[in-house]
Amino acid sequence: IGVGARFPADTFPASTVAPDRVAMRVGPGGYVGLSVLEDGTVDLAGALDPDRIREAGGIEAAVVALLTHSGLPAPAAPPIDGWRGTPKLTRTAAPAGAERLLLIGDAAGYLEPFTGEGMRWAIESARAVVPHALAVLEQGWSPARLTAWDRAVRAHRRTRLVARGVTWVSRSPRRIRLALALLARMPGLAVPLVRHASGTASTTPAPPISTRLRATP
């Protein structure tokens, strides 16, 4: 499940949490990311195994255990607004809609967004639904419209192999160590994974965003 909280400034060591980076910590049962917001407060967001949370006695205890395991001290202050949580981070809607309703983005289902592709998937689904929505507007609703959209959503979901693979690796400290050791010896293996996650097909620099938008029908 997803967890999150916002902490006062200086809650974590400055050497670990800097304004210009995201600090990731992976440990048994999940991972967390720390970043400094514009007002100086520290945002913590992560994904934890529900069983680990129960074993630890709550979200805060589970997060502290993970941070301690990765070499960070426990937060020096409590969260400003308490802890937030989400439903399970991998779930699907079946079918992806209902009568006169086509679901897109997270509403249609999503995988654990470890590779940072959540926004990309949401935008892609919003673009993909356009011809289906136009068909409804021009020709009227029928159950076949939902069947066609559900089929398209499931086909797109099957392309998320990198996210599934990274999620599988991240859930095991042993697999993480093996993967990091392999990439340390052969860093080139990470190139296709990074290209896939970023949507970059080659090493050619991408054009400015305004150019890409103008060229997009």
Side-chain angles (χ1 to χ4, degrees), residues 4 6 17 26 30 34 39 47 58 76 79 82 95 108 110 125 130 141 166 171 174 188 195 197-198 209:
R6 190 166 59 94
V17 184
V26 180
L34 301 165
D39 61 0
Y110 51 87
S125 72
V130 171
W141 174 263
V166 173
R171 288 180 176 172
R174 182 172 180 273
R195 287 179 183 170
S198 64
I209 233 176

Side-chain angles (χ1 to χ4, degrees), residues 28-122:
Y31 53 87
V32 298
L34 301 165
S35 61
V36 180
L37 304 180
E38 292 181 354
D39 61 0
T41 59
V42 178
D43 184 71
L44 181 151
L48 298 177
D49 186 328
D51 290 336
R52 289 279 183 173
I53 294 175
R54 284 190 288 269
E55 293 169 3
I59 292 176
E60 183 170 9
V63 170
V64 169
L66 191 153
L67 293 175
T68 302
H69 179 272
S70 67
L72 275 182
I80 296 173
D81 303 310
W83 288 91
R84 306 180 305 275
T86 71
K88 289 186 176 181
L89 290 179
T90 298
R91 56 178 177 160
T92 58
E99 184 177 356
R100 300 183 62 80
L101 172 67
L102 303 177
L103 297 177
I104 63 173
D106 289 352
Y110 51 87
L111 295 173
E112 187 175 329
F114 188 90
T115 53
E117 296 176 89
M119 290 297 295
R120 172 187 163 191
W121 293 334

